[in-house]
Amino acid sequence: MHLLSQCYLFKGLSESQLFRLSEIAKEVQIQKGQFFMKEGGQAEELFVLKEGAVELLTKVEDGFELPIAIFRKPGDCIGTSSLVAPYVYSLNSRCVEDSKMLVLKKTALKELMQGDHELGCTIMRNLAQHLIGRLKETRQELKVHFK
């Protein structure tokens, strides 16, 4: 439960809400070099990093992938495309170290969110705030190229 409270998506949730989330989370181990999300694939799962490191990549052309980010901090969240239609992963992900993650199935998470509207609204508000922050960062990076 402590790990879930470190994830930005779940900030502001009560202990009982975090407990219900922990009940649907399953711990998995993924070996170094293994891919676990495929760009363009159906987004059926949300991942919360427990230990290890995960690299996000995007396919630029055949045989070439551009690294986008590396997540190393416990509580880092991967696969938020599973929360928003059309439920398609926008990046590839690969473990760059042996890693442990909590996996939350989209269907189980959606049921929780529909059954507890406060929980659902908090998660979606946190996601929106995070994505707005990422959009601002991207705009700043683009401005650098046009100065």
Side-chain angles (χ1 to χ4, degrees):
M1 221 167 49
H2 173 67
L3 178 66
L4 291 174
S5 69
Q6 294 177 6
C7 177
Y8 73 85
L9 281 176
F10 307 132
K11 296 285 184 199
L13 294 180
S14 69
E15 287 295 318
S16 64
Q17 290 169 324
L18 288 168
F19 179 76
R20 289 199 309 278
L21 280 171
S22 72
E23 288 183 310
I24 65 166
K26 177 183 172 190
E27 186 173 311
V28 297
Q29 293 187 18
I30 302 176
Q31 295 179 339
K32 178 180 179 178
Q34 186 176 343
F35 284 84
F36 61 93
M37 283 182 350
K38 183 177 178 180
E39 186 173 354
Q42 283 299 119
E44 297 294 332
E45 298 170 319
L46 177 73
F47 301 86
V48 180
L49 185 65
K50 184 174 182 180
E51 60 185 59
V54 173
E55 180 177 44
L56 299 181
L57 310 116
T58 188
K59 188 175 181 180
V60 178
E61 57 186 56
D62 285 340
F64 180 71
E65 290 181 313
L66 180 67
I68 301 297
I70 293 184
F71 293 110
R72 297 181 182 278
K73 192 177 85 181
D76 280 341
C77 187
I78 304 143
T80 55
S81 297
S82 64
L83 297 173
V84 182
Y87 309 107
V88 174
Y89 291 127
S90 59
L91 298 167
N92 290 318
S93 63
R94 174 180 63 210
C95 288
V96 292
E97 297 175 4
D98 288 345
S99 301
K100 290 182 183 177
M101 288 185 252
L102 295 182
V103 179
L104 293 94
K105 297 278 186 192
K106 173 182 77 176
T107 51
L109 185 53
K110 196 173 182 179
E111 275 182 36
L112 266 183
M113 292 169 69
Q114 289 173 341
D116 180 344
H117 293 267
E118 184 183 331
L119 178 141
C121 285
T122 299
I123 291 172
M124 296 311 284
R125 181 176 49 248
N126 290 341
L127 177 61
Q129 288 173 342
H130 179 78
L131 293 177
I132 288 170
R134 298 257 318 268
L135 182 59
K136 287 179 183 177
E137 288 173 14
T138 301
R139 283 188 188 139
Q140 290 304 316
E141 289 176 22
L142 284 173
K143 287 179 182 179
V144 168
H145 295 288
F146 291 100
K147 286 186 176 182

